[in-house]
Amino acid sequence: METYQNIVLEKLPAHLRKYVVPQFYERYTPIDQALWRYVMRQNYIYLKDVAYYPYIPGLRKAGLTIERIPDLQQMNDSLKQIGWGAVTVDGFIPPAAFMEFQAHRVLVIAADIRQLEHIEYTPAPDIIHESSGHAPIIGEPEYAEYLQYFGEVGSKAMFSAKDFELYEAIRNLSILKEDPNATQEQIATGERLLEKIQQNMGEPSEMALLSRLHWWTVEYGLIGTVDDPKIYGAGLLSSIGESVTCMQPEVPKLPYTLDAVNYSYDITKPQPQLFVTPDFEHLRGVLDEFAADMSFRVGGKKSVDKAIACKNVCTAVYSSGLQVSGIFTAVGDENKLTYIKTSGPTALALRGKQLHGHSKNYHKDGFSAPVGLVTGFDRSLEDMTDADLYAAGIVVGQETVLSFDSGITVTGVLESLTRSEDKLVLLSFTKCTVRDTRTDAILFMPEWGMYDMAVGAQIVSVFSGAADKDAYEQQSDVSEISAVRHAYDESTKQLHERYARIRRMREKGNATEKLLMELFTDLQANFPGDWLSLVELLEIAANMSLTEAVRQIEDALDQIQKNQPHLVKLIQDGKRLAKDTNVSLIL
């Protein structure tokens, strides 16, 4: 893990640290720096009027500048003042992990930056989106609390096996689209795979639905009134294209309610509608409304069924407080939750900490236990005192028979019992047989060894992941697909050197008309289609009041946009900003 200094990061659990990668600041090229500067200058000029939160104060609070790509340590030095931190990761990470970082008040920032060809928008997460989009508004306390709370809820959300397939397909396609060496055939194959998965997702999971609420608020949210909204969503704050087009009347603005969960989204296209919240407190109300029906809050058979469909590690919580973490495979009766069963490594925990002696290595072949009330008892087994147990004939060292209302019987020699505060959470038997008397199925046999029986009348909560993730040591979440590390040819390296010269001229203020025109001539001869370098030169020429140089550079830019019409808006915006000397004073 990159050793950023921030007390918030020091508290990150080990299972999240595996996603953190070094920033490698030296990898950012002079073109990358110019791209950042162009986007941020354009953003400031436009967003100062339409963004909800004052853009420049927000940038400063997050340790960002308009002039250069942020250094993560500098960001952390600033963010720690408001109780947040930031780490760099390799592109998309699984939604559950992303949410958990958020719950720990840590911004996840993709280390890479978009290509110049994708300057207006990229489907891949990049440092422009993650830092200039998310970070500036973190200084707004109500929003920061919402973001953290969303992370807490989201990290508990149940996902399906299809969700992980979708995540891998999206990640793969985003990497391909940012890879200059990717062929059109490779991209088309990636698009077909993504489309196929999207068309066969089935019923959306909790995570899928929650991701929609995240998209329409954190990423693409508007705040205010439908008739006069302001931008706060990071996807809009970081897109110099969509931040403008989204405010046009042609894009419907809808009041933000729980109905937003019914609107899916496509990360590769402009959004067909946006949602407006009156304030950030309203966001939390909608989230609470959704969370009220989530598995971690309601439990029961339906929630365990979701865990089975997930086909990944989940946790079921008994009413006694015992937490069972593993891959769930059965719930007993078709219509009723009578017992739970896992396959493969399973761990037991209490209050998020693994129970001593009950790691996934001990329960390596799975775990099963009844759920429900024991026949003939006037109270739940979990609530019985030692005296109650003795009176019922449940005594350590003696054979015990427990008959559940569900028809499951447990017969064996009680070896030990485990309590947590005033609750009985576990009974351990030898020479044990567990039978479902309704079907005469044998659920456990004496020769299998010690039978550890979870105690609890109900399953009160089910959530994604292990209860004690660090102890469980999950390894399956890190994608095997890595973002591309660009290798530059000699011509591109030479272009980098030209951009570096332009930056030095601007920053040192030592440009002369002769040096500027020599560089302009060189760019025209060797890199005739490169528009961003000319925009940077135009700014220097305009600030120096070099009328003839301005005219020649503008003519060259006009010729580029004639040859490449898709660059018209970028070039026109760049020219307008470069010649506005008042902007330089403001920035």
Side-chain angles (χ1 to χ4, degrees):
M1 174 180 171
E2 180 80 356
T3 54
Y4 304 122
Q5 300 301 309
N6 184 324
I7 192 169
V8 177
L9 303 184
E10 292 170 9
K11 297 177 181 178
L12 267 182
H15 68 275
L16 289 180
R17 293 170 183 256
K18 65 189 177 186
Y19 296 105
V20 180
V21 300
Q23 185 182 17
F24 291 123
Y25 196 89
E26 66 279 2
R27 285 181 178 171
Y28 300 124
T29 69
I31 293 179
D32 293 336
Q33 295 286 0
L35 188 154
W36 168 273
R37 186 172 182 272
Y38 176 93
V39 171
M40 295 301 289
R41 283 165 61 83
Q42 295 290 344
N43 276 351
Y44 172 67
I45 291 302
Y46 179 67
L47 293 174
K48 65 184 175 63
D49 297 320
V50 300
Y52 169 73
Y53 193 73
Y55 200 65
I56 294 301
L59 290 174
R60 287 174 181 153
K61 278 190 177 182
L64 302 175
T65 71
I66 283 177
E67 283 300 309
R68 60 185 63 250
I69 296 169
D71 174 273
L72 258 286
Q73 185 54 60
Q74 292 177 4
M75 281 192 70
N76 273 293
D77 291 342
S78 297
L79 288 171
K80 70 180 180 183
Q81 304 301 321
I82 54 176
W84 281 73
V87 295
T88 41
V89 298
D90 185 21
F92 279 114
I93 64 173
F98 181 90
M99 294 291 183
E100 200 173 350
F101 272 107
Q102 213 166 275
H104 285 279
R105 300 174 74 88
V106 173
L107 287 177
V108 173
I109 296 177
D112 291 333
I113 189 167
R114 66 194 65 179
Q115 296 179 71
L116 183 56
E117 290 77 10
H118 299 154
I119 190 170
E120 292 184 281
Y121 174 81
T122 173
D126 79 329
I127 198 165
I128 291 179
H129 168 74
E130 307 290 357
S131 59
S132 73
H134 287 290
I137 201 169
I138 290 291
E140 183 73 12
E142 280 190 354
Y143 179 76
E145 289 173 10
Y146 168 72
L147 204 61
Q148 179 185 14
Y149 181 54
F150 203 116
E152 292 171 355
V153 172
S155 62
K156 300 285 189 182
M158 302 294 294
F159 62 92
S160 69
K162 284 288 185 181
D163 287 335
F164 198 77
E165 285 184 39
L166 181 65
Y167 153 71
E168 284 281 83
I170 289 174
R171 177 179 167 84
N172 176 56
L173 182 58
S174 70
I175 290 171
L176 284 172
K177 287 192 171 184
E178 278 296 318
D179 181 1
N181 298 315
T183 66
Q184 287 302 312
E185 182 180 349
Q186 287 175 315
I187 293 174
T189 299
E191 288 174 335
R192 286 193 296 270
L193 175 61
L194 176 58
E195 184 178 0
K196 180 180 178 181
I197 293 173
Q198 286 174 325
Q199 291 175 350
N200 294 277
M201 289 296 294
E203 190 72 19
S205 67
E206 286 180 354
M207 181 62 82
L209 295 175
L210 199 60
S211 294
R212 294 178 185 178
L213 295 185
H214 196 268
W215 185 262
W216 299 125
T217 60
V218 175
E219 295 294 351
Y220 279 82
L222 301 177
I223 188 169
T225 66
V226 169
D227 296 324
D228 185 26
K230 298 292 185 183
I231 294 172
Y232 73 89
L236 296 174
L237 290 176
S238 61
S239 171
I240 59 176
E242 199 165 1
S243 61
V244 176
T245 59
C246 79
M247 301 303 281
Q248 302 302 317
E250 292 77 19
V251 179
K253 315 296 190 298
L254 308 176
Y256 180 65
T257 67
L258 190 56
D259 186 54
V261 81
N262 297 313
Y263 290 75
S264 59
Y265 59 89
D266 185 339
I267 69 167
T268 67
K269 298 176 182 178
Q271 306 314 306
Q273 75 285 307
L274 295 172
F275 294 87
V276 186
T277 183
D279 50 47
F280 292 135
E281 186 178 353
H282 179 73
L283 297 181
R284 184 167 182 135
V286 172
L287 181 56
D288 272 329
E289 190 179 351
F290 178 81
D293 292 324
M294 289 178 65
S295 296
F296 83 97
R297 291 228 171 125
V298 301
K301 180 179 182 298
K302 185 177 179 181
S303 298
V304 180
D305 284 340
K306 289 181 180 179
I308 293 171
C310 179
K311 298 181 182 179
N312 280 278
V313 174
C314 296
T315 297
V317 185
Y318 277 85
S319 47
S320 65
L322 185 70
Q323 299 166 312
V324 181
S325 300
I327 298 177
F328 288 81
T329 57
V331 295
D333 190 279
E334 182 179 301
N335 302 309
K336 187 179 179 181
L337 183 60
T338 59
Y339 73 96
I340 58 172
K341 180 177 175 58
T342 66
S343 64
T346 302
L348 307 184
L350 287 167
R351 294 179 294 279
K353 292 298 181 182
Q354 187 169 283
L355 198 59
H356 180 70
H358 292 278
S359 69
K360 66 177 186 178
N361 294 324
Y362 177 71
H363 297 288
K364 61 181 177 19
D365 298 318
F367 182 87
S368 66
V371 179
L373 299 171
V374 179
T375 304
F377 291 176
D378 61 358
R379 69 179 67 186
S380 299
L381 185 58
E382 65 206 82
D383 294 323
M384 295 178 73
T385 65
D386 288 346
D388 294 331
L389 295 174
Y390 184 83
I394 304 174
V395 180
V396 173
Q398 295 183 13
E399 184 169 272
T400 300
V401 179
L402 297 175
S403 298
F404 288 81
D405 290 349
S406 63
I408 293 175
T409 62
V410 178
T411 305
V413 177
L414 181 62
E415 293 295 325
S416 65
L417 54 84
T418 303
R419 289 188 177 277
S420 173
E421 298 177 346
D422 61 342
K423 292 285 188 180
L424 181 64
V425 298
L426 197 69
L427 296 176
S428 298
F429 300 89
T430 56
K431 302 176 182 178
C432 187
T433 299
V434 182
R435 183 190 303 272
D436 187 339
T437 58
R438 295 164 309 162
T439 62
D440 206 32
I442 301 297
L443 305 178
F444 194 90
M445 296 191 292
E447 53 265 37
W448 294 354
M450 182 76 74
Y451 179 67
D452 297 294
M453 189 194 88
V455 176
Q458 303 174 60
I459 297 297
V460 296
S461 177
V462 181
F463 56 86
S464 175
D468 186 341
K469 292 184 175 67
D470 286 345
Y472 199 90
E473 298 177 343
Q474 292 173 287
Q475 298 295 326
S476 60
D477 290 336
V478 180
S479 176
E480 296 179 359
I481 307 169
S482 297
V484 175
R485 301 295 175 222
H486 301 310
Y488 301 106
D489 59 25
E490 190 57 37
S491 175
T492 304
K493 290 177 181 178
Q494 290 180 17
L495 182 58
H496 290 168
E497 191 274 332
R498 272 52 165 199
Y499 272 87
R501 285 167 59 188
I502 295 171
R503 177 172 283 272
R504 287 194 298 270
M505 288 170 60
R506 182 179 64 250
E507 292 180 343
K508 292 182 178 180
N510 61 357
T512 64
E513 183 172 9
K514 181 174 182 294
L515 287 174
L516 188 145
M517 292 309 296
E518 285 177 353
L519 187 49
F520 169 67
T521 302
D522 173 63
L523 287 166
Q524 284 290 90
N526 296 297
F527 307 98
D530 191 80
W531 64 273
L532 183 55
S533 59
L534 297 188
V535 167
E536 293 235 304
L537 274 186
L538 179 62
E539 180 188 341
I540 297 172
N543 285 332
M544 294 175 65
S545 300
L546 301 176
T547 306
E548 179 56 23
V550 167
R551 185 191 66 77
Q552 290 189 44
I553 296 170
E554 282 199 271
D555 287 346
L557 285 167
D558 289 344
Q559 187 59 49
I560 291 174
Q561 67 183 25
K562 283 181 183 178
N563 297 334
Q564 303 181 68
H566 65 283
L567 296 176
V568 169
K569 185 178 185 306
L570 289 169
I571 290 174
Q572 290 299 324
D573 288 347
K575 286 166 59 179
R576 184 164 50 252
L577 194 57
K579 293 191 294 180
D580 188 346
T581 54
N582 291 324
V583 170
S584 297
L585 295 175
I586 295 172
L587 301 182

